[in-house]
Amino acid sequence: MSGSFLESNVIFQEIYCVLAGSKYAGESCSAQGLLPVGYDWIGFFIAGFAIMFILANAFMLGAAVFVYSERRLLGKFQLRTGPNRVGPFGLLQPIADILKLLMKEDIVPNGADKPVHTLAPIVMLAPAILVTAVIPFGSGYFLTDLNVGLLYIVAVSGMITIAIFMAGWSCNNRYALFGSMRGVAQLISYELPMVFSMVGILILTGSLSLIDVVNAQDIPFILVQPMAFVIFLIGTSAELNRTPFDIVEAESEIIAGYHTEYSGIKFALFQAAEMGSILVSGAVVATLFLKGWEGPFLPGPIWFLIKVYGFVFLMIWVRATLPRLRVDQVMGFAWKFLLPLSLVNIFVTGASVFILGDMENGVRVLDSVDLLLVGAINLLSLIACLVLAGFFMKTKASGGRSREILVSEFDPAGREVLT
Amino acid sequence: MTYGLGLFKGMLVTLRNFFRPVVTVQYPDRRVGIFYLAKKANISVIRFLLESPRESVKSLLGLVRVPVYVEQNPRFRGEEFTWYEDRCTGCASCAKYCPLGIIRIETHESGEYLQEGQSYFVDTFDIDIGRCMFCGICVEACPYDALFMGTGFERGRYQRSELVIPIEELKAASKRPSTWFRPQLESQKFDPWKSEADWETVGREAYKWHPKRPAQSGNPNQEDQVKE
Amino acid sequence: MKTEAITVNIGPQHPSTHGVFRLRVTFDGEVIQDVEAVFGYLHRGSEKLAEERTYTQVITLTDRLDYVASMTNNQAYVLACENLMDIEVPERGQYLRMIAAELQRIASHFVATGFLLQDLGAMATPLMYGFRERERILDMFEMLCGARITNTYMRIGGVFQDAPEEFWGSLRSFLDGMPGFLDEFDSLLRGNEILLARTKDIGVLEASEAINCSVTGPVLRSTGVAWDLRKVDPYELYPRIKFDIPIGTNGDNYDRFVIRLAEIRQSISIIDQCYEQIEAGPVRSTNELLFYPKTGDAYGKVEAPKGELGFYLVSDGGIAPYRCKIRSPSLINLTMIKDLLIGSKLSDMIVTLGSIDINMGEVDR
C-alpha cells in the first residue's frame, strides 16, 4: 500500500520533505538511505502521527469555532448579539468557556458507576475524531484512503450510541436514563435510512472510497441524488441530536439528557464531541454530495471549508427555527417515512441507472446528461413522495376538526349544550 | 399540500429576521466599529485611519468600548429618592403610607416658630431601599411635594445595610426628581435625565416662603403664610 | 422481561415548570402513569399580608401575583375595592385601565406562546420575537407609570395619573405595526408541521370537564365555550367595544395556542377602539389614599390573560380588608392537570403544562 499511498498523499509528501530535508522523489525513506531497510514503517508512523495530530487539533478547534459561530448566528436569528465581550467580537468566548470548564469541579454522583462514567466522554469523542481519518480535505489532503471509507464512517460513528448509553446508564440519574434510552433508540433508527441513502451513491460511483466518490462527481451528487441528500441531511441531523430531533438532550424536558450529571472537563469533552461531529458530518455531506474539495478559483481545502460551513449554517438555521419532535414521532418518522423513502431512492436510482446507463466493460456508465436525467427523476419521485405524505398526514391529523371560531355575541343558550 | 411546506415558510421567516438589525441594547458599554469613531471625530473613515492608526486597528478588532447611558422615561420610579429638606415638614406621611414601613423618620420640634405653623426639624430620614419595591405610594402621600422618586437604578451593594439611604445622602444627592405623580413637573416638560430641579419649582404651588426659615420682611407671600 | 415504573421529580428546579413547581411523576417508559402536582414553593402569603395593609397599599401586592400581567391584577383588585366602596370611576380613567389591561394581555400572551414554543424546543426564537414586541408594551407601561413589570398603575377610583402625551404616539405606532408582526408570527408557527404534530390532539380537555373544574380563560375557550367575562359580565366600558371571543373546537394544546394568538388580534382592535373613543377628562374620582368602607363584602373580577381573576374582599369597617381572597386562574386551571397528563408522554406533559400558561407567582400567591 505504501507506493500508492505516498504518491497521492500531499500532506505526507510535505511532511516527508521536512523530515528528509529533500524533495520527495517518489521513493520511500529507506531508498534514500534515511532509514535502514525494513524500517520504512517509522517514516509512515511519524508522518501519520503528524497528520493525526493536525486532524485531532483541527477537530477540537473546529468544535470551538462551531460553538462560537452557533451562538453568534443563533443570536442574530433571534435579534440578539450573542457573545461579544471576551476578546474582539467575542472570538475568545469558546476559550473562556473551556477554561471555565477546566477549572470546574469534576463531580461524580453518588451511586454512579465510576469507571463507565469516566470512560463515556472518551468513547464519545474518539469515534468523532476517527471519522476524520478518511475524509479528503483537498486534492491529496487526507490521512488515509480506505477502500471501504464509507463503511468505515458508518461503522465508527455507530460507536457514539454506546457512549451515550454508557453516559446515561452510569450516572444513576433518571433524566440521564431517559436521555440515553431515547438516544439509543433514535441513533439506531436513523442509521438505517442514512446508510440506505448512501447506496444510491454507491450505485453511481461503484466505489466505497471517498476519494473515488469525489472524483466520480462530474455533477455534484446533490443534483443527481436530491432524495438521498434530503434523507442523508435529516438522518445526519438526527444522528447529531440536533433540532428537530434533539430529544436526546431536550433541555426543556429532560434537562440535558445523558450528560445531565457531567461537569467540568468531561462535560467539555461531550460538548467537543458533539460540536465536532457536526463539522465532521458537514465534511461527509460535502464529500458525498457537494463534490468535496472541488470548485473554481479557490484552492481545494478552502472550498471544502466553505461547503462544510454551508452545512453548519443550515444546521444552525434549522435549530433557530424548528421545534422538537416527540420521541415516538421521531421514531415513526424514521421507520414510516425515511426508511421507505430511502428504499424508493435505491429503487429509483437503480432503475434509472439500469435504463439510462450504457454498458461498457461490464459496468454501466452514465454521461452528464444521463446524470442530470437521473437527478430529475429522483427529484420528481421525492416531490411525489412528499405530496403523498402530506396527503396522508392531513387526513390523519385530527380530521380537520380543529379551527378557531370567532364569537361576537354572548349567547346564554350556548351553555345549555355543555352542561 | 406538500408535507414540509410549513417548515420551509418558517425557515424563511427566521432568515428574514437574520438580516434585520439587532434589537439588543448593550449596557453598561458597547463595542463600536471604526465608522462610529470616525463619525464621532467628524472626519471621514480614511482620514481617521491615517490620523489615528492605533485607535483604528483597535476598533477594527472590536476592542473599543463606549459607555452606554440608558435614559429612562421621566416617570421612571428609581432609587435614591429625591428629597427636598426645605419642603419637608416632617409629617411622616410617607412613612405611614409605605406598604412595607421602610421609611424611618425622627423629628424634633424646632421650637422657635412652632406657634406660627412652622414645621419640625427632621433628624433622621432613612429609606431602606433593600426592601423598597418602588411603588411610589410614599411620593403620592407626601402633601408638601417634598419627596420624589429618584432616577437611579445602579445600586448594587454587597451588604443590605449599605442599601439604607441615610438623611445625609438624601441631602447631598443631586436633585433629579422623577415626574412620577408630579403633574406640575410634567407640565413644565421637566426631564430628570437632563436637568436638576430646585426646591422652589418642584411643588404644586410655587412657594415663595420657606416653612423652616422665618418670613423675611417684604415677602410678598407673607399673608399666605399667616393663613396657613 | 421485568419492568419497573420509575418516579421522577420534575421540578422544583426544572427548565419547563415555569417557576418553582414540582410534579412528582411516575413513568412507565415515557408514558405517564401518575402525576402529583406539588406547589407552594413560592407562597408569600399575599392574602394574609393584605389583611395588614390599607386598601391602597394592597395594590402593590397584587402586582406580584401574576408578574407577567400586573395590570390586570391591579384592575381586578381595584374593581373589587370600588364595588366595596361604591366609587365611580371617570370615563377616561376606565378607558386608560382598559388600554393598559389589553396591552398587558398582549404582553402576557406573547410570553405564554413564546414559552410554549420554548418548551417545544424551538430554541427561544419565537420567544425572542414575541419579547421584542412585548418590550414596546413595557416601554409604554414605563411611560404610563414609571415601571415595567410591577406597575402599581391603578388606584381605587381610577388610575393614578393621566397618560403622558408621548404615550399616545407610541401606542399608535405599536398598534399600526402589530398586525404585520402577527402575520409573520403566524407564518412562522401556524403551518409548522412539527408544531401541529406536537400540539394537535394532545392534552385534550372536554368542555364539560373544564366547566366542572371551573377552568377559565383561554383554556376554557379552547374547548368551545364562549365564556369571556368582558362579554358575559362586562366591567369597565367593555359594553361600548365591539370585539369577538375566539373559541376553539378541540380543547387541545393547539387550540389553546391559536386562541392566544387570536386574542392578541382582538386586543389590538379593542385598544384601537379605546384610542378612538377616549376623551379628555379626569382620570381619578378621588385622590384619597385611605378608605374606611362600610362593613360588607365585595367581589371584583376581570378576564385576566390566564382566566378569571377575582378578589373577594371582606370589610369590617376598618382601614384594611378583614379578608382578601384571591381567585387566581393559574391555580384553578392547574387543578385539572392530572386528568390532562395521565397517559400522555413526557414531552407532551411539558407542552401541556406550557399551554395552560401557569404562573407560579399566582398559583402560590
Side-chain angles (χ1 to χ4, degrees), chain B residues 176-211:
Chain B
R176 292 181 180 278
S178 159
T179 62
W180 194 84
F181 207 77
R182 294 289 181 251
Q184 69 274 16
L185 283 180
E186 237 161 41
S187 59
Q188 294 167 23
K189 303 263 176 224
F190 174 74
D191 190 350
W193 304 90
K194 296 196 171 65
S195 53
E196 298 189 9
D198 196 28
W199 71 271
E200 286 172 326
T201 55
V202 293
R204 256 165 274 194
E205 301 149 50
Y207 288 102
K208 291 284 184 283
W209 58 278
H210 194 291

Short mmCIF file of all heavy atoms in Angstrom, two decimals, chain B residues 176-211:
data_model
loop_
_atom_site.label_atom_id
_atom_site.label_comp_id
_atom_site.label_asym_id
_atom_site.label_seq_id
_atom_site.Cartn_x
_atom_site.Cartn_y
_atom_site.Cartn_z
N ARG B 176 -32.58 65.19 41.16
CA ARG B 176 -33.15 64.80 39.88
C ARG B 176 -34.46 64.06 40.14
O ARG B 176 -34.50 62.83 40.10
CB ARG B 176 -32.18 63.92 39.11
CG ARG B 176 -30.94 64.66 38.65
CD ARG B 176 -30.03 63.73 37.88
NE ARG B 176 -28.83 64.45 37.46
CZ ARG B 176 -28.79 65.21 36.37
NH1 ARG B 176 -29.85 65.34 35.61
NH2 ARG B 176 -27.67 65.84 36.05
N PRO B 177 -35.50 64.78 40.42
CA PRO B 177 -36.75 64.08 40.80
C PRO B 177 -37.43 63.49 39.58
O PRO B 177 -37.47 64.09 38.50
CB PRO B 177 -37.59 65.19 41.41
CG PRO B 177 -37.10 66.43 40.74
CD PRO B 177 -35.65 66.23 40.45
N SER B 178 -37.97 62.31 39.76
CA SER B 178 -38.81 61.72 38.73
C SER B 178 -40.12 62.48 38.69
O SER B 178 -40.59 63.02 39.68
CB SER B 178 -39.04 60.26 39.07
OG SER B 178 -40.19 59.80 38.42
N THR B 179 -40.74 62.52 37.52
CA THR B 179 -42.01 63.25 37.42
C THR B 179 -43.18 62.37 37.82
O THR B 179 -44.33 62.72 37.60
CB THR B 179 -42.24 63.75 35.99
OG1 THR B 179 -42.32 62.64 35.12
CG2 THR B 179 -41.14 64.66 35.56
N TRP B 180 -42.90 61.23 38.42
CA TRP B 180 -43.97 60.32 38.83
C TRP B 180 -44.87 60.99 39.86
O TRP B 180 -44.41 61.47 40.89
CB TRP B 180 -43.36 59.05 39.41
CG TRP B 180 -44.36 57.96 39.53
CD1 TRP B 180 -44.73 57.11 38.56
CD2 TRP B 180 -45.13 57.65 40.67
NE1 TRP B 180 -45.70 56.27 39.02
CE2 TRP B 180 -45.96 56.58 40.31
CE3 TRP B 180 -45.21 58.17 41.96
CZ2 TRP B 180 -46.85 56.01 41.18
CZ3 TRP B 180 -46.10 57.60 42.84
CH2 TRP B 180 -46.91 56.52 42.44
N PHE B 181 -46.15 61.03 39.56
CA PHE B 181 -47.16 61.64 40.41
C PHE B 181 -46.87 63.10 40.71
O PHE B 181 -47.24 63.64 41.74
CB PHE B 181 -47.34 60.89 41.73
CG PHE B 181 -48.70 61.07 42.29
CD1 PHE B 181 -49.76 60.39 41.76
CD2 PHE B 181 -48.94 61.98 43.30
CE1 PHE B 181 -51.04 60.59 42.23
CE2 PHE B 181 -50.22 62.18 43.79
CZ PHE B 181 -51.27 61.48 43.25
N ARG B 182 -46.17 63.74 39.82
CA ARG B 182 -45.94 65.17 39.99
C ARG B 182 -46.32 65.84 38.68
O ARG B 182 -45.48 66.13 37.83
CB ARG B 182 -44.47 65.44 40.33
CG ARG B 182 -44.04 64.89 41.68
CD ARG B 182 -44.65 65.68 42.81
NE ARG B 182 -44.21 65.16 44.10
CZ ARG B 182 -44.99 64.48 44.95
NH1 ARG B 182 -46.23 64.22 44.63
NH2 ARG B 182 -44.52 64.08 46.10
N PRO B 183 -47.63 66.08 38.47
CA PRO B 183 -48.05 66.66 37.19
C PRO B 183 -47.44 68.03 36.95
O PRO B 183 -47.24 68.42 35.81
CB PRO B 183 -49.57 66.74 37.32
CG PRO B 183 -49.91 66.33 38.68
CD PRO B 183 -48.73 65.78 39.36
N GLN B 184 -47.13 68.73 38.05
CA GLN B 184 -46.57 70.07 37.84
C GLN B 184 -45.23 70.00 37.14
O GLN B 184 -44.88 70.83 36.30
CB GLN B 184 -46.45 70.82 39.17
CG GLN B 184 -45.41 70.29 40.14
CD GLN B 184 -45.96 69.18 41.02
OE1 GLN B 184 -46.99 68.61 40.72
NE2 GLN B 184 -45.27 68.87 42.10
N LEU B 185 -44.44 68.94 37.45
CA LEU B 185 -43.17 68.77 36.77
C LEU B 185 -43.39 68.37 35.31
O LEU B 185 -42.68 68.80 34.42
CB LEU B 185 -42.33 67.70 37.46
CG LEU B 185 -41.64 68.10 38.75
CD1 LEU B 185 -40.86 66.93 39.29
CD2 LEU B 185 -40.71 69.26 38.50
N GLU B 186 -44.40 67.55 35.11
CA GLU B 186 -44.67 67.10 33.75
C GLU B 186 -45.14 68.25 32.88
O GLU B 186 -44.78 68.36 31.71
CB GLU B 186 -45.73 66.01 33.78
CG GLU B 186 -45.24 64.75 33.13
CD GLU B 186 -46.06 63.57 33.55
OE1 GLU B 186 -47.29 63.70 33.64
OE2 GLU B 186 -45.47 62.50 33.78
N SER B 187 -45.93 69.13 33.48
CA SER B 187 -46.41 70.26 32.67
C SER B 187 -45.27 71.21 32.34
O SER B 187 -45.33 71.92 31.34
CB SER B 187 -47.52 71.00 33.43
OG SER B 187 -47.01 71.47 34.65
N GLN B 188 -44.23 71.19 33.17
CA GLN B 188 -43.05 72.00 32.83
C GLN B 188 -42.15 71.31 31.82
O GLN B 188 -41.10 71.83 31.49
CB GLN B 188 -42.20 72.26 34.08
CG GLN B 188 -42.83 73.11 35.14
CD GLN B 188 -42.04 73.04 36.43
OE1 GLN B 188 -40.86 72.72 36.41
NE2 GLN B 188 -42.69 73.33 37.54
N LYS B 189 -42.51 70.12 31.38
CA LYS B 189 -41.68 69.30 30.50
C LYS B 189 -40.32 69.03 31.14
O LYS B 189 -39.28 69.07 30.48
CB LYS B 189 -41.47 69.96 29.13
CG LYS B 189 -42.73 70.27 28.40
CD LYS B 189 -43.05 69.18 27.40
CE LYS B 189 -44.38 69.45 26.72
NZ LYS B 189 -45.22 68.30 26.60
N PHE B 190 -40.36 68.80 32.43
CA PHE B 190 -39.11 68.58 33.14
C PHE B 190 -38.62 67.16 32.85
O PHE B 190 -39.39 66.20 32.86
CB PHE B 190 -39.33 68.75 34.64
CG PHE B 190 -38.15 68.40 35.47
CD1 PHE B 190 -37.06 69.26 35.51
CD2 PHE B 190 -38.09 67.22 36.19
CE1 PHE B 190 -35.95 68.94 36.27
CE2 PHE B 190 -36.99 66.90 36.94
CZ PHE B 190 -35.92 67.76 36.97
N ASP B 191 -37.32 67.05 32.56
CA ASP B 191 -36.73 65.73 32.32
C ASP B 191 -35.59 65.51 33.30
O ASP B 191 -34.55 66.16 33.19
CB ASP B 191 -36.23 65.64 30.88
CG ASP B 191 -35.84 64.21 30.53
OD1 ASP B 191 -35.78 63.38 31.45
OD2 ASP B 191 -35.60 63.94 29.34
N PRO B 192 -35.77 64.65 34.26
CA PRO B 192 -34.72 64.47 35.28
C PRO B 192 -33.42 63.93 34.72
O PRO B 192 -32.38 64.04 35.36
CB PRO B 192 -35.36 63.48 36.25
CG PRO B 192 -36.37 62.77 35.46
CD PRO B 192 -36.89 63.76 34.48
N TRP B 193 -33.48 63.35 33.51
CA TRP B 193 -32.25 62.79 32.95
C TRP B 193 -31.39 63.88 32.33
O TRP B 193 -30.26 63.64 31.97
CB TRP B 193 -32.59 61.74 31.90
CG TRP B 193 -33.46 60.69 32.48
CD1 TRP B 193 -34.81 60.69 32.50
CD2 TRP B 193 -33.05 59.54 33.19
NE1 TRP B 193 -35.26 59.59 33.17
CE2 TRP B 193 -34.21 58.87 33.60
CE3 TRP B 193 -31.80 59.00 33.53
CZ2 TRP B 193 -34.16 57.70 34.32
CZ3 TRP B 193 -31.77 57.82 34.24
CH2 TRP B 193 -32.92 57.19 34.63
N LYS B 194 -31.99 65.07 32.21
CA LYS B 194 -31.23 66.15 31.59
C LYS B 194 -30.92 67.28 32.55
O LYS B 194 -29.88 67.92 32.45
CB LYS B 194 -32.01 66.69 30.39
CG LYS B 194 -32.18 65.64 29.30
CD LYS B 194 -32.60 66.24 27.99
CE LYS B 194 -32.55 65.19 26.89
NZ LYS B 194 -33.54 64.10 27.10
N SER B 195 -31.82 67.56 33.49
CA SER B 195 -31.59 68.72 34.34
C SER B 195 -31.99 68.42 35.77
O SER B 195 -32.70 67.45 36.04
CB SER B 195 -32.39 69.91 33.80
OG SER B 195 -33.73 69.54 33.65
N GLU B 196 -31.56 69.29 36.66
CA GLU B 196 -31.92 69.17 38.06
C GLU B 196 -33.04 70.17 38.37
O GLU B 196 -33.30 71.07 37.60
CB GLU B 196 -30.71 69.45 38.94
CG GLU B 196 -29.59 68.45 38.71
CD GLU B 196 -28.49 68.61 39.73
OE1 GLU B 196 -28.68 69.35 40.70
OE2 GLU B 196 -27.44 67.97 39.55
N ALA B 197 -33.67 69.93 39.51
CA ALA B 197 -34.78 70.81 39.86
C ALA B 197 -34.56 71.38 41.25
O ALA B 197 -34.15 70.68 42.17
CB ALA B 197 -36.09 70.03 39.81
N ASP B 198 -34.87 72.66 41.36
CA ASP B 198 -34.71 73.36 42.61
C ASP B 198 -35.95 73.14 43.48
O ASP B 198 -37.01 72.81 42.99
CB ASP B 198 -34.51 74.84 42.31
CG ASP B 198 -33.97 75.54 43.52
OD1 ASP B 198 -33.28 74.85 44.31
OD2 ASP B 198 -34.23 76.74 43.67
N TRP B 199 -35.81 73.33 44.77
CA TRP B 199 -36.94 73.05 45.66
C TRP B 199 -38.09 73.99 45.42
O TRP B 199 -39.24 73.67 45.66
CB TRP B 199 -36.50 73.09 47.13
CG TRP B 199 -36.18 74.48 47.64
CD1 TRP B 199 -34.99 75.09 47.57
CD2 TRP B 199 -37.08 75.40 48.25
NE1 TRP B 199 -35.06 76.34 48.10
CE2 TRP B 199 -36.36 76.55 48.54
CE3 TRP B 199 -38.44 75.36 48.59
CZ2 TRP B 199 -36.92 77.66 49.14
CZ3 TRP B 199 -39.00 76.46 49.21
CH2 TRP B 199 -38.24 77.61 49.48
N GLU B 200 -37.76 75.19 44.92
CA GLU B 200 -38.83 76.18 44.78
C GLU B 200 -39.76 75.84 43.62
O GLU B 200 -40.94 76.21 43.64
CB GLU B 200 -38.22 77.56 44.52
CG GLU B 200 -37.61 78.14 45.76
CD GLU B 200 -36.86 79.41 45.46
OE1 GLU B 200 -36.27 79.48 44.37
OE2 GLU B 200 -36.83 80.29 46.31
N THR B 201 -39.24 75.14 42.62
CA THR B 201 -40.04 74.95 41.41
C THR B 201 -40.75 73.61 41.36
O THR B 201 -41.58 73.40 40.48
CB THR B 201 -39.12 75.04 40.18
OG1 THR B 201 -38.06 74.09 40.33
CG2 THR B 201 -38.56 76.42 40.02
N VAL B 202 -40.41 72.70 42.25
CA VAL B 202 -40.96 71.36 42.08
C VAL B 202 -42.35 71.20 42.67
O VAL B 202 -43.03 70.24 42.37
CB VAL B 202 -40.03 70.30 42.71
CG1 VAL B 202 -38.74 70.23 41.93
CG2 VAL B 202 -39.78 70.57 44.16
N GLY B 203 -42.77 72.15 43.48
CA GLY B 203 -44.01 71.94 44.20
C GLY B 203 -45.23 72.23 43.37
O GLY B 203 -45.16 72.78 42.28
N ARG B 204 -46.38 71.78 43.90
CA ARG B 204 -47.63 72.05 43.20
C ARG B 204 -47.91 73.55 43.18
O ARG B 204 -48.47 74.08 42.27
CB ARG B 204 -48.77 71.31 43.91
CG ARG B 204 -49.20 70.08 43.14
CD ARG B 204 -50.03 69.17 43.98
NE ARG B 204 -49.19 68.26 44.74
CZ ARG B 204 -49.66 67.19 45.35
NH1 ARG B 204 -50.93 66.90 45.32
NH2 ARG B 204 -48.86 66.39 46.02
N GLU B 205 -47.52 74.21 44.30
CA GLU B 205 -47.61 75.66 44.32
C GLU B 205 -46.19 76.18 44.44
O GLU B 205 -45.38 75.60 45.15
CB GLU B 205 -48.42 76.14 45.52
CG GLU B 205 -49.83 75.61 45.55
CD GLU B 205 -50.31 75.43 46.96
OE1 GLU B 205 -50.18 76.39 47.74
OE2 GLU B 205 -50.80 74.34 47.28
N ALA B 206 -45.91 77.25 43.76
CA ALA B 206 -44.57 77.81 43.83
C ALA B 206 -44.44 78.59 45.13
O ALA B 206 -44.79 79.77 45.21
CB ALA B 206 -44.31 78.68 42.62
N TYR B 207 -43.98 77.93 46.16
CA TYR B 207 -43.86 78.57 47.46
C TYR B 207 -42.80 79.66 47.40
O TYR B 207 -41.70 79.43 46.94
CB TYR B 207 -43.45 77.57 48.52
CG TYR B 207 -44.55 76.62 48.89
CD1 TYR B 207 -44.56 75.33 48.39
CD2 TYR B 207 -45.56 77.02 49.74
CE1 TYR B 207 -45.55 74.45 48.72
CE2 TYR B 207 -46.56 76.14 50.07
CZ TYR B 207 -46.54 74.86 49.56
OH TYR B 207 -47.53 74.00 49.89
N LYS B 208 -43.16 80.78 47.85
CA LYS B 208 -42.15 81.83 47.96
C LYS B 208 -41.63 81.90 49.39
O LYS B 208 -40.62 82.49 49.68
CB LYS B 208 -42.73 83.18 47.56
CG LYS B 208 -43.04 83.27 46.08
CD LYS B 208 -41.75 83.44 45.27
CE LYS B 208 -42.07 83.63 43.80
NZ LYS B 208 -42.42 82.37 43.13
N TRP B 209 -42.36 81.34 50.29
CA TRP B 209 -41.91 81.35 51.69
C TRP B 209 -41.29 80.00 52.01
O TRP B 209 -41.46 79.01 51.32
CB TRP B 209 -43.07 81.62 52.62
CG TRP B 209 -44.19 80.61 52.48
CD1 TRP B 209 -45.16 80.63 51.54
CD2 TRP B 209 -44.40 79.46 53.27
NE1 TRP B 209 -45.98 79.57 51.68
CE2 TRP B 209 -45.54 78.82 52.74
CE3 TRP B 209 -43.76 78.89 54.37
CZ2 TRP B 209 -46.04 77.65 53.28
CZ3 TRP B 209 -44.27 77.74 54.91
CH2 TRP B 209 -45.40 77.11 54.35
N HIS B 210 -40.55 80.01 53.04
CA HIS B 210 -39.87 78.80 53.44
C HIS B 210 -40.46 78.30 54.74
O HIS B 210 -40.57 79.05 55.70
CB HIS B 210 -38.38 79.10 53.63
CG HIS B 210 -37.56 77.87 53.71
ND1 HIS B 210 -37.63 77.03 54.76
CD2 HIS B 210 -36.66 77.34 52.86
CE1 HIS B 210 -36.80 76.02 54.57
NE2 HIS B 210 -36.21 76.18 53.42
N PRO B 211 -40.87 77.08 54.79
CA PRO B 211 -41.52 76.62 56.03
C PRO B 211 -40.59 76.60 57.23
O PRO B 211 -41.06 76.62 58.36
CB PRO B 211 -42.00 75.22 55.66
CG PRO B 211 -41.19 74.82 54.50
CD PRO B 211 -40.87 76.06 53.76
#
